[in-house]
Amino acid sequence: GGFHRGGPPSGADAARRQIASSNRSSGPNSGPGGFRSERQQLLELVGVLGKKAMLPVAVFCFSKKRCDSCADALSSLDLSTGSEKAAVHAFVDRCLARLKEGDRKLPQILRLRDLMRRGIAVHHAGLLPIMKEVVEMLFCQGYIKVLFCTETFAMGVNAPTRTVVFHALRKHDGKNFRYLLPGEYTQMAGRAGRRGLDAVGHVLLVCWGDRDLYGESELRTMLTGSGVKLESQFRLTYGMILNLLRVEDLKVEDMLKRSFAEFHAQRAAPAGAAELAALEGELAAAAAAPWPATALGSSREEVEEYVALCEELEIIDAQLQDALITNKSFQQALVPGRLVLYGNPVNGLTEPAVVLGDAPAPPSPLPSASLTLNTAKPASFAVGTATTSSTGGTTVSGLSGTTATSSAASSDRRLYLLVLHRPGSMDEQHERQAEQERRAREGPGGGGRGFGGMTSLQSRKQQELDDMFSGMVKLGGAKGGGGGGGSGGGPPRPLPVPHYGCEAGIHFCVVADWTRSIVGVCRARIRLDGVDEILSCGGNWTTNAVRRALAAALRGIARTVDEAAAAAGSGGGGELPQLDPRVDFKIADVASVPALQARATLQSRRAALRPHRDPGLVEAFQLVRTRRRLERRSAELRHQLSDASLQQLPEFEQRVGVLQQLGYLAEDRSVTLKGRVCCEIQSTQDELVATEAVFSGLLGELSPEEAVALLSALVFQVLRGVGGAD
Amino acid sequence: MSAAGAVRVRPHQPGADIALIECGLGVHDAPLSTAFVCVGDEISTEGEEGFLRGHGTQVVDGKLVATVCGVVERVNKLIYVKTLNSRYNAEQGDVIVGRVAEISGKAWRVDLKSRQESKLLLSAVHLPGGVQRRRNAEDELNMRFFFREGDLISAEIQSVHGDGSVALHTRSAKYGKLTHGQLVEVPPNLIKRQKQHFHTLEALGVELIIGCNGLVWVAPLRADRVAAEIGMDAKEAASEATATGPPPSKAQLEVVCRMANAVRVLTRLYMPVYPASIMAVYEAAMDDNVELRDMLEPDFLAVVVKQEAQRRSSAMQE
């Protein structure tokens, strides 16, 4: 009887079926009768397999002796037809022809020939190499129906079979009996099923008796466990370092590089080198670019300082984002009319803005790969920024080093912001690109009926296509633009943002962005007249009402900013007075408070700089920012490509330090006499101890027996037979 | 060769160079250093219990006595005397320059001027193109294609066997046959063991191999050495260079001769030979506009000694 199981629990290969056939009789080793009964069971098993057309079978036994005894147990069985017998005979004859006459009569060969003639064979390490090969070839050709083999057959030879039988599930691994490891099991069971011949491969676990029934937990571990992970076994030892340093040819760094631990890093090296070369070119181009004239005539040094401060602030802002956006008071403070400081991801500047109202979340987040701004942003950053944001429907994540991870987005709000914007060359491009995406999203169905229903599978597919050909496809170009008028009734259509413009002599942009890009909440609020006009304009920015409302709001912001600047005095300052997150939002956790303090000081320092008030800063700022980013990336790459990034290099240096201190290496790392002695000592771990013992005269006074006894403590068992002479 | 450039013959004055050194370093009246011993001198073992008696020492009447002239070296409790002059004693990892003495079976016998016989097995040479394969009978027949008797080769010591015989290997493109250069013989004790023994002085266009066995090879820098560094096969490039490459210019050859003479100067003065010392002598000669043939004259030797004395005293002050 037996019990069947469906697929393997791992579901790894549904075509593999596992049957645990348990023949209930006495165990294999229980007295003289054991062998007989095992023999009967074997015969029965092979008979069943033959009837069910599950031959050929490979039976894995875990000892050579067991293989042979099993094969002998089938002495009465004959599985070959006459023609097969002839073929086997001829093949073996041909193979053995190269042996000497006498050698062909060896007992092992004779025995195996008899077995193979009947379609049975054994395969284990005890066979003569030529016989092993003969067995393998005959098995692959299908002449051998039952093969008793050890584990080696699963490892070296690619010889699949229809059925695999496990004679036992426990094996002796040199130390003790243990269950097969999942990896070993997979390797052997993987032999079942021949490509092109079998629809199904069978794996049978044999239980010879009640005693051999396997526990569920053991089986589960073995069948479903994951294989052994490949790990670098390369360990630095003092002996190795000395041996490497004394030959001129080899560098230890090269050795470390070739270790498996560095495999992935080394494989990425050519790509890194190529990227570095490209970066160098871009850097050279950036350095050659002329310094743009700014309105206040900010010098390069001033802007450098300013950018450095901005970057520091960006880092702090990123730290604070999570604490802020989950804060209730913070969110409550963001009401229409509130003045905020907006960290504009497009140009990297911090700009004053006013909250207009809540914006709907973008319907389907586009992968950020489609958001690359081709000219403004070096293409090489695509790698670094692809992970930064997958949410920003309208943010250009590539330009913002600190855009938060998408995980935060779920709890975040999106707001419409009216930003007092410093115009730059990138604005137009940004707007155009956003427009393109919007159109792509609205899809071929076009018509601008709003986003809600448009996320059908088809349009999403289309969208993916668009992403692939980003910027090249003009889908629904004619329709998408200004069809806003149709959506009179329902919720107001989302504004086509970003929108850049100039009203009442003040440059502005309207954006929709997550609250986490708000880096500061000001005390001031302004009155917003006609904000509804703006929010419901649906892209018609040119109507009088909208223009009036925008102009009023912008004048309000500008006035507040001017007041702040005036209040700070002529000396500088000019940052808008902000709400103190510690007091007003009651943020008091240990991590955030110092960050908030640092942010406040940095912001006031930045506000004191001249470029902060420079309306024409954008171009210069961009130039410096891009260059700095390129430099950072190239420094990073250079480190990765150099030896300094090797994982084990610090350890190597430390060990060299030890060796120098103990006098095994000279200052210039040449190996001294002591080091040479150490090289000759064959010990896995304790070469230093042994060398010190020698040079401290420890062994001098001892009799040979005593010395041997003492040093035996330093010899690892496995090397007992090998290193004894030393 | 003009009359002025004719070879000058000077009678050999034994001890003249030594006197020069003593004069320069002012050591003739210096107190006898305890680190320096002569045969029969007692080596102080005070304050050291259970010392280990090393090479060049012997215990006579309960006292440790030197059996050779040299410098006393102490490593932990081991006391040994490093002789001032001896035959080369091979150690694993040394870079050597040697001459092929004969071909025997599957190996070349190489003369290292060493105490021990050394062999370079056929299986330990770098095959053209860096291919890795078993050496067959054909390779054995073609061994003279690699190195003939009398060829000068650079190699590395692979191992020193228990019976004292040495196995070499040239399993890298940088080792191999040496042609078109000068060989200078130096007492092996003067060679300072360093991390690098192959030096290419690109500014001067010279390559320098300081063999640990006391043979120093100075040669004009050839294209194939540069090629070997970028991974080309040295032997192919070498055969091309010897066949087609332009012969080195006169100026280049003079630099080579000057470098070789700098090594000879150091040998005469019994000073350590390593790249910095060679360069120091070379530069001193260039600064003083010493003619190539005058480099071994006593006048210049005195200059070198003075320079060395200065260097040592400043080093001591530090």
Side-chain angles (χ1 to χ4, degrees):
Chain A
F3 60 89
H4 293 251
R5 279 196 182 158
S10 64
D13 184 1
R16 219 189 288 148
R17 201 146 43 103
Q18 271 129 12
I19 311 162
S21 88
S22 71
N23 295 343
R24 294 183 195 283
S25 54
S26 58
N29 300 325
S30 57
F35 182 72
R36 255 187 67 78
S37 65
E38 183 185 338
R39 186 185 135 157
Q40 282 169 351
Q41 289 176 35
L42 262 175
L43 282 170
E44 196 184 325
L45 174 67
V46 174
V48 168
L49 291 179
K51 252 182 243 152
K52 295 199 170 178
M54 283 160 74
L55 294 176
V57 57
V59 182
F60 283 101
C61 313
F62 295 110
S63 81
K64 288 181 252 180
K65 217 176 117 198
R66 182 53 56 82
C67 281
D68 287 331
S69 71
C70 286
D72 291 339
L74 301 182
S75 55
S76 60
L77 206 63
D78 190 343
L79 298 164
S80 294
T81 62
S83 62
E84 282 174 337
K85 278 194 178 68
V88 169
H89 184 82
F91 180 77
V92 177
D93 258 0
R94 209 165 56 239
C95 291
L96 295 182
R98 71 172 80 161
L99 290 185
K100 278 190 208 133
E101 187 68 36
D103 290 346
R104 289 177 219 161
K105 297 264 167 13
L106 286 173
Q108 186 189 72
I109 294 180
L110 291 178
R111 197 183 127 251
L112 208 55
R113 280 193 80 159
D114 174 54
L115 283 173
M116 290 192 289
R117 206 173 45 81
R118 293 184 282 116
I120 302 164
V122 291
H123 184 282
H124 55 67
L127 292 189
L128 293 168
I130 187 168
M131 289 317 283
K132 257 198 284 192
E133 215 170 325
V134 168
V135 169
E136 283 157 20
M137 288 159 103
L138 285 175
F139 186 78
C140 290
Q141 289 165 27
Y143 289 119
I144 288 173
K145 306 295 190 299
V146 180
L147 176 69
F148 296 96
C149 53
T150 52
E151 214 181 337
T152 46
F153 188 72
M155 286 300 181
V157 198
N158 181 22
T161 170
R162 178 167 292 178
T163 307
V164 166
V165 171
F166 284 88
H167 187 277
L169 289 182
R170 283 154 65 81
K171 70 162 191 175
H172 196 261
D173 64 355
K175 278 183 220 147
N176 45 15
F177 272 101
R178 61 165 171 82
Y179 274 94
L180 295 175
L181 295 174
E184 291 168 336
Y185 171 81
T186 312
Q187 181 70 25
M188 285 183 264
R191 298 284 146 191
R194 295 163 298 176
R195 171 180 289 191
L197 288 173
D198 307 325
V200 183
H202 306 273
V203 179
L204 294 116
L205 314 177
V206 183
C207 300
W208 298 110
D210 295 339
R211 219 166 43 123
D212 284 351
L213 283 178
Y214 306 111
E216 158 122 32
S217 66
E218 283 100 356
L219 281 180
R220 187 178 292 280
T221 339
M222 196 179 71
L223 298 181
T224 65
S226 58
V228 186
K229 221 178 137 193
L230 276 183
E231 266 176 39
S232 171
Q233 292 295 317
F234 181 76
R235 300 285 175 271
L236 274 176
T237 65
Y238 291 109
M240 181 199 294
I241 291 173
L242 287 170
N243 271 308
L244 286 173
L245 284 176
R246 78 170 164 170
V247 294
E248 165 142 339
D249 217 20
L250 293 166
K251 272 173 70 193
V252 183
E253 288 82 354
D254 293 337
M255 198 79 177
L256 296 181
K257 256 186 209 169
R258 283 177 208 160
S259 106
F260 184 68
E262 300 291 337
F263 172 69
H264 295 288
Q266 291 302 317
R267 200 169 52 170
E275 193 188 336
L276 185 62
L279 276 181
E280 296 290 330
E282 281 170 28
L283 261 176
W291 184 246
T294 62
L296 291 185
S298 305
S299 69
R300 193 182 271 267
E301 290 72 30
E302 281 173 324
V303 179
E304 289 269 358
E305 194 185 348
Y306 188 70
V307 173
L309 275 173
C310 284
E311 279 170 357
E312 268 182 72
L313 272 168
E314 272 180 19
I315 294 165
I316 296 179
D317 287 338
Q319 287 170 1
L320 285 170
Q321 268 167 13
D322 282 341
L324 279 176
I325 62 172
T326 51
N327 185 291
K328 240 183 176 164
S329 317
F330 173 75
Q331 296 291 357
Q332 279 166 359
L334 297 174
V335 290
R338 172 71 72 186
L339 282 190
V340 294
L341 293 178
Y342 173 59
N344 193 339
V346 180
N347 58 13
L349 290 170
T350 304
E351 294 169 325
V354 65
V355 178
L356 295 178
D358 279 309
S364 59
L366 288 174
S368 62
S370 66
L371 300 176
T372 46
L373 271 180
N374 290 330
T375 53
K377 187 167 71 72
S380 48
F381 284 120
V383 185
T385 55
T387 53
T388 52
S389 166
S390 59
T391 58
T394 52
T395 40
V396 178
S397 57
L399 287 169
S400 159
T402 57
T403 314
T405 49
S406 53
S407 61
S410 53
S411 61
D412 204 355
R413 257 162 87 200
R414 251 165 83 90
L415 295 173
Y416 281 124
L417 297 170
L418 175 64
V419 185
L420 198 67
H421 183 63
R422 289 188 240 199
S425 59
M426 231 169 300
D427 300 346
E428 200 186 330
Q429 202 177 1
H430 180 207
E431 190 174 5
R432 207 169 44 228
Q433 184 153 5
E435 176 84 16
Q436 237 160 35
E437 275 154 22
R438 221 166 19 244
R439 285 178 189 175
R441 200 178 305 137
E442 281 170 22
R449 294 274 170 269
F451 292 137
M454 288 317 299
T455 49
S456 69
L457 199 65
Q458 205 180 4
S459 72
R460 194 168 290 176
K461 245 184 199 158
Q462 188 64 53
Q463 183 186 316
E464 276 162 16
L465 260 179
D466 291 352
D467 293 343
M468 266 189 265
F469 305 108
S470 123
M472 294 165 72
V473 190
K474 289 182 188 165
L475 277 167
K479 304 169 189 170
S487 61
R493 256 199 73 193
L495 286 173
V497 284
H499 169 73
Y500 291 90
C502 179
E503 212 57 67
I506 304 170
H507 288 276
F508 72 94
C509 70
V510 180
V511 296
D513 210 342
W514 305 98
T515 54
R516 69 183 123 77
S517 46
I518 289 169
V519 298
V521 183
C522 303
R523 293 195 177 283
R525 290 174 61 177
I526 56 168
R527 271 191 54 199
L528 285 177
D529 294 323
V531 66
D532 294 337
E533 300 282 333
I534 302 175
L535 289 182
S536 60
C537 75
N540 263 336
W541 301 103
T542 44
T543 56
N544 278 337
V546 172
R547 287 183 60 181
R548 248 198 322 278
L550 282 174
L554 286 170
R555 269 197 293 272
I557 304 174
R559 196 165 49 241
T560 322
V561 171
D562 287 343
E563 278 166 16
S570 56
E575 195 70 293
L576 289 164
Q578 288 175 50
L579 292 175
D580 187 346
R582 281 169 291 168
V583 181
D584 297 304
F585 305 151
K586 308 236 171 5
I587 289 180
D589 65 287
V590 186
S592 301
V593 171
L596 285 168
Q597 276 167 348
R599 183 164 86 165
T601 36
L602 280 175
Q603 275 182 345
S604 62
R605 257 175 69 196
R606 181 175 67 171
L609 290 174
R610 194 152 67 124
H612 194 59
R613 297 184 303 280
D614 194 334
L617 179 69
V618 179
E619 299 303 315
F621 187 83
Q622 273 318 318
L623 195 73
V624 173
R625 210 161 89 107
T626 313
R627 212 207 56 234
R628 284 175 70 98
R629 195 166 286 162
L630 286 171
E631 274 169 0
R632 262 206 302 276
R633 178 72 186 144
S634 75
E636 204 177 289
L637 275 175
R638 225 173 259 142
H639 175 78
Q640 272 171 17
L641 291 175
S642 70
D643 286 345
S645 69
L646 293 175
Q647 281 172 30
Q648 296 197 16
L649 200 72
E651 193 193 341
F652 168 64
E653 295 294 343
Q654 280 174 349
R655 283 184 183 254
V656 165
V658 169
L659 289 172
Q660 282 175 333
Q661 210 175 339
L662 291 175
Y664 289 77
L665 290 177
E667 284 302 309
D668 62 350
R669 293 194 178 176
S670 57
V671 181
T672 61
L673 175 84
K674 212 169 162 185
R676 282 168 194 280
V677 169
C678 187
C679 287
E680 301 301 327
I681 291 173
Q682 312 279 323
S683 174
T684 43
Q685 291 294 317
D686 305 304
E687 53 270 32
L688 290 194
V689 176
T691 314
E692 289 297 325
V694 167
F695 277 98
S696 64
L698 199 63
L699 306 174
E701 299 150 8
L702 302 177
S703 68
E705 294 81 6
E706 287 169 328
V708 168
L710 183 66
L711 289 179
S712 67
L714 306 179
V715 179
F716 183 49
Q717 291 283 309
V718 171
L719 297 177
R720 201 170 36 187
V722 187
D726 298 310
Chain B
M1 191 178 283
S2 66
V7 180
R8 274 169 289 183
V9 181
R10 218 162 7 92
H12 180 62
Q13 299 164 301
D17 292 342
I18 301 292
L20 203 72
I21 297 169
E22 284 180 348
C23 166
L25 297 179
V27 292
H28 47 273
D29 50 11
L32 207 60
S33 162
T34 49
F36 183 80
V37 290
C38 217
V39 178
D41 284 352
E42 190 190 330
I43 299 168
S44 155
T45 55
E46 277 171 43
E48 287 184 48
E49 285 172 43
F51 61 86
L52 290 168
R53 190 176 62 78
H55 287 299
T57 61
Q58 198 174 6
V59 178
V60 179
D61 300 334
K63 288 175 189 165
L64 191 65
V65 167
T67 58
V68 290
C69 284
V71 185
V72 178
E73 298 271 349
R74 289 161 203 262
V75 179
N76 295 23
K77 293 203 167 168
L78 174 71
I79 301 174
Y80 67 98
V81 179
K82 215 165 121 185
T83 54
L84 290 182
N85 200 354
S86 68
R87 286 225 137 207
Y88 170 61
N89 190 12
E91 284 178 36
Q92 192 182 338
D94 284 354
V95 172
I96 53 92
V97 173
R99 201 175 282 283
V100 176
E102 67 173 81
I103 296 177
S104 57
K106 290 176 182 171
W108 292 269
R109 203 166 62 69
V110 183
D111 181 13
L112 302 184
K113 296 196 166 287
S114 150
R115 307 202 293 213
Q116 301 118 321
E117 166 159 285
S118 66
K119 279 199 160 156
L120 171 63
L121 285 175
L122 175 59
S123 57
V125 298
H126 182 79
L127 290 179
V131 284
Q132 306 277 346
R133 61 172 170 85
R134 280 184 75 120
R135 314 302 197 261
N136 50 29
E138 200 180 327
D139 291 319
E140 228 171 291
L141 292 173
N142 289 333
M143 276 173 71
R144 280 195 179 80
F145 168 77
F146 293 107
F147 310 122
R148 302 175 160 276
E149 291 92 337
D151 276 353
L152 206 58
I153 60 166
S154 62
E156 184 179 310
I157 292 181
Q158 184 168 37
S159 58
V160 180
H161 299 302
D163 63 352
S165 62
V166 174
L168 304 174
H169 80 87
T170 59
R171 256 191 232 106
S172 161
K174 66 180 177 179
Y175 302 123
K177 200 192 288 191
L178 303 172
T179 52
H180 302 92
Q182 277 199 37
L183 184 70
V184 186
E185 214 179 314
V186 173
N189 298 55
L190 292 185
I191 306 290
K192 207 170 157 186
R193 260 205 191 91
Q194 284 175 310
K195 263 182 81 71
Q196 283 287 323
H197 287 267
F198 277 79
H199 302 279
T200 40
L201 309 168
E202 278 179 24
L204 299 174
V206 173
E207 69 166 340
L208 195 64
I209 304 172
I210 305 178
C212 290
N213 59 336
L215 296 180
V216 177
W217 176 254
V218 192
L221 189 61
R222 295 196 319 263
D224 60 289
R225 282 292 167 200
V226 182
E229 271 163 34
I230 58 169
M232 249 179 77
D233 181 53
K235 284 200 185 71
E236 283 171 14
S239 58
E240 276 170 30
T242 46
T244 60
S249 65
K250 192 188 165 207
Q252 206 179 2
L253 285 177
E254 193 186 316
V255 174
V256 169
C257 292
R258 275 181 177 277
M259 292 297 273
N261 266 357
V263 177
R264 287 188 187 102
V265 166
L266 290 171
T267 314
R268 282 281 280 281
L269 298 173
Y270 219 74
M271 297 203 298
V273 175
Y274 55 99
S277 69
I278 298 172
M279 283 312 291
V281 174
Y282 176 84
E283 274 158 13
M286 294 304 277
D287 292 346
D288 294 3
N289 288 322
V290 180
E291 289 275 321
L292 175 57
R293 62 167 182 270
D294 292 334
M295 275 180 78
L296 291 169
E297 294 294 321
D299 297 344
F300 181 62
L301 295 189
V303 172
V304 173
V305 169
K306 214 170 283 168
Q307 194 184 20
E308 177 69 9
Q310 238 167 33
R311 192 187 66 80
R312 288 194 192 176
S313 64
S314 66
M316 245 183 266
Q317 273 163 15
E318 278 170 19

